[in-house]
Amino acid sequence: MFELNEKIRDLTPYDPITGTYTVRLDANESFLSLPDDVRQELGKIASSLDYRRYPDPLAKDVCAAFGAYYGVDPACVAGGNGSDELISILMNAFLQPGDAVITALPDFSMYGFYAHLAGGREVSVQKDDSLRFPTDAVIETAKRENARMIVFSNPCNPTGQGLPKNDVRRLLQAVPETLVVLDEAYMDFWDESMLPEATKYDNLLILRTCSKAFGGAAVRLGFVVGPERLVRAVRAVKSPYNLNSFTQAAGTVLLSRRDAEKAAIETIKASTHALHEALCRLAEAYPVLEKVYDTCCNFVLIRTGAADTLHRGLLQKGIAVRRFPGYLRITAGSEEENQAVTAALQELLAADTEKEGQA
């Protein structure tokens, strides 16, 4: 019998929430549907593609559209099948077996997963209760471990906390021989992006995505930006046709709607602010919600010892949010969805309070 090797023997597939729920606030997707005119344009694209032909291996048009939107040189941009593929490519390309990869937890779980598959050695620095990125501890750990790579999301998923540019610069300057992979998947909701300085540092690669602010999660489109030397290496090691023709064309359309996208981002930020305020009011009334964190993203994180109970209760009410040990993460939704999740939480918390009073 063929035996699985040690590095994959005990792995389990990624397991997101499945099933049908009235309100889905678990995956940090945009709650805004694409406008009808954009849908019509995408429909025309789908019907006119030459399906016999391979896609452009360099994804020149969509990388140019990304460069125009963000003001970066397209020669310093490469596309990927979502940020996940790019993370996997970077780990496999830049790591040798046994190389140390520094993460700061909690953070996006797939960093450690892909580092493991690439033969890297994840060395984690734990964040304190503030959940702020521990810059000094990461620098110290990277130097001690002779780290090949540091990877983190900024702003952070799942904490919602952001690291200002000055601290990112300090990190880059302190570890010049370590590649820093800066995942800015949620940076469209904040204003501390390092994209304008992406080519200034020869040890920096920045990841961006169309899955969050742009409402394009279904098309799976991500980008890596950095010095041309590093981006050229990424192009050399990725699959030749990793971005299909429809995704390239759809991304070009999404990135051409600057005014509309900026307006959509402001709408999402307003929804996040409203959700945060509503959850803070709940926390004042129910101390079991120990802390509602400020956020730079399109979601709100709550620390609570009742995370498991509340998560189950919400699912029973047809509302999906994300649970981590001791935390709930709730994506900002429409006004109706925000009201639904806060009303359901209040009902669950009130019921638990009444039970405690009767005990």
Side-chain angles (χ1 to χ4, degrees), residues 95-338:
L95 296 180
Q96 299 283 1
D99 281 346
V101 179
I102 311 300
T103 58
L105 301 183
D107 205 338
F108 185 43
S109 63
M110 300 307 289
Y111 301 145
F113 173 82
Y114 288 123
H116 171 77
L117 286 186
R121 177 171 54 90
E122 182 183 15
V123 181
S124 298
V125 177
Q126 199 68 34
K127 297 173 183 175
D128 62 22
D129 286 345
S130 73
L131 300 183
R132 299 289 184 184
F133 185 83
T135 307
D136 291 330
V138 167
I139 291 171
E140 178 185 347
T141 304
K143 290 180 176 179
R144 184 182 69 243
E145 299 291 338
N146 192 26
R148 182 67 173 167
M149 180 184 292
I150 298 168
V151 56
F152 64 101
S153 58
N154 188 41
C156 176
N157 171 31
T159 71
Q161 306 305 297
L163 185 68
K165 285 183 286 190
N166 281 340
D167 289 308
V168 177
R169 295 184 189 112
R170 184 162 65 87
L171 172 64
L172 288 162
Q173 293 163 359
V175 290
E177 296 181 357
T178 301
L179 178 63
V180 176
V181 177
L182 181 60
D183 186 349
E184 291 191 346
Y186 296 87
M187 189 57 79
D188 289 300
F189 304 115
W190 203 34
D191 60 357
E192 290 286 323
S193 176
M194 287 291 290
L195 273 181
E197 302 174 46
T199 61
K200 181 178 177 180
Y201 300 91
D202 62 8
N203 63 331
L204 172 65
L205 285 172
I206 299 174
L207 297 172
R208 298 297 288 248
T209 182
C210 286
S211 295
K212 308 304 178 185
F214 285 81
V219 301
R220 307 304 301 129
L221 178 58
F223 299 92
V224 60
V225 187
E228 192 171 354
R229 177 179 66 94
L230 297 184
V231 172
R232 191 184 307 118
V234 173
R235 292 199 191 102
V237 299
K238 74 174 184 62
S239 300
Y241 306 108
N242 63 322
L243 273 182
N244 69 72
S245 296
F246 179 77
T247 290
Q248 292 188 37
T252 302
V253 171
L254 292 177
L255 287 160
S256 68
R257 304 170 60 253
R258 178 183 299 273
D259 292 341
E261 290 297 349
K262 296 297 184 185
I265 289 168
E266 291 306 312
T267 299
I268 294 170
K269 289 167 65 175
S271 171
T272 307
H273 178 72
L275 176 63
H276 182 269
E277 286 197 330
L279 293 173
C280 285
R281 289 193 293 270
L282 276 182
E284 290 177 2
Y286 301 98
V288 69
L289 302 183
E290 300 161 22
K291 184 175 179 63
V292 178
Y293 288 88
D294 292 337
T295 182
C296 299
C297 301
N298 67 330
F299 59 81
V300 180
L301 186 74
I302 305 170
R303 187 177 71 214
T304 173
D308 291 347
T309 301
L310 292 173
H311 184 251
R312 285 194 302 269
L314 289 172
L315 290 178
Q316 291 168 0
K317 293 177 178 293
I319 300 173
V321 302
R322 187 68 186 272
R323 177 188 58 81
F324 301 92
Y327 297 90
L328 292 176
R329 190 195 68 192
I330 305 175
T331 308
S334 66
E335 183 177 355
E336 294 76 18
E337 289 172 329
N338 286 352

Side-chain angles (χ1 to χ4, degrees), residues 41-51:
E41 188 170 356
L42 296 183
K44 291 177 182 177
I45 289 170
S47 65
S48 63
L49 283 179
D50 189 346
Y51 288 93

